[in-house]
Amino acid sequence: MEKKIISPCISICRTDPITGYCYGCARTNEEKKIWKDENTHNNWKEENLKMIINRMQGWQLETFKESYNHKKNKGISLFKKNLIESK
């Protein structure tokens, strides 16, 4: 059984109208669909993760890395955690 690769979604789901990339994870809508498909292989996911990280720079890259690492370690993105705590 393949190890589970955590989705790069960090709960900031807004698409840049010019690039078509999500502000949170830098994926296209098509890439998001492929991630949700249970038949998508880990090799594709690993390559896509590298690709989306290469799309990011500056604050977006730093925010993504911090939140994605938190999600991998704690099971929830920082954005979602902060949203829950503020209620």
Side-chain angles (χ1 to χ4, degrees), residues 1-5 33-49:
M1 183 174 203
E2 287 188 305
K3 67 177 174 141
K4 181 159 173 57
I5 297 178
K33 287 178 194 167
I34 296 169
W35 269 90
K36 288 179 181 171
D37 184 340
E38 61 188 35
N39 297 314
T40 301
H41 295 284
N42 280 350
N43 289 346
W44 185 90
K45 290 179 180 181
E46 287 168 353
E47 287 304 311
N48 187 247
L49 267 172

Side-chain angles (χ1 to χ4, degrees), residues 6-8 10 49 64-72:
I6 304 295
S7 164
I10 58 169
L49 267 172
F64 175 79
K65 283 182 176 178
E66 182 182 17
S67 194
Y68 187 60
N69 284 331
H70 190 276
K71 183 178 178 179
K72 288 192 299 188

Side-chain angles (χ1 to χ4, degrees), residues 1-86:
M1 183 174 203
E2 287 188 305
K3 67 177 174 141
K4 181 159 173 57
I5 297 178
I6 304 295
S7 164
C9 177
I10 58 169
S11 304
I12 302 172
C13 304
R14 293 281 183 274
T15 302
D16 182 304
I18 295 170
T19 65
Y21 299 144
C22 176
Y23 288 126
C25 66
R27 293 182 295 169
T28 64
N29 287 336
E30 185 61 28
E31 289 167 330
K32 290 175 186 181
K33 287 178 194 167
I34 296 169
W35 269 90
K36 288 179 181 171
D37 184 340
E38 61 188 35
N39 297 314
T40 301
H41 295 284
N42 280 350
N43 289 346
W44 185 90
K45 290 179 180 181
E46 287 168 353
E47 287 304 311
N48 187 247
L49 267 172
K50 289 177 195 170
M51 201 173 3
I52 65 173
I53 288 170
N54 283 330
R55 288 178 188 155
M56 296 181 216
Q57 54 187 306
W59 65 266
Q60 183 188 26
L61 180 58
E62 296 310 312
T63 301
F64 175 79
K65 283 182 176 178
E66 182 182 17
S67 194
Y68 187 60
N69 284 331
H70 190 276
K71 183 178 178 179
K72 288 192 299 188
N73 295 324
K74 307 280 188 195
I76 188 171
S77 72
L78 279 177
F79 183 77
K80 195 174 266 188
K81 175 184 172 280
N82 292 338
L83 216 60
I84 293 167
E85 289 176 355
S86 70

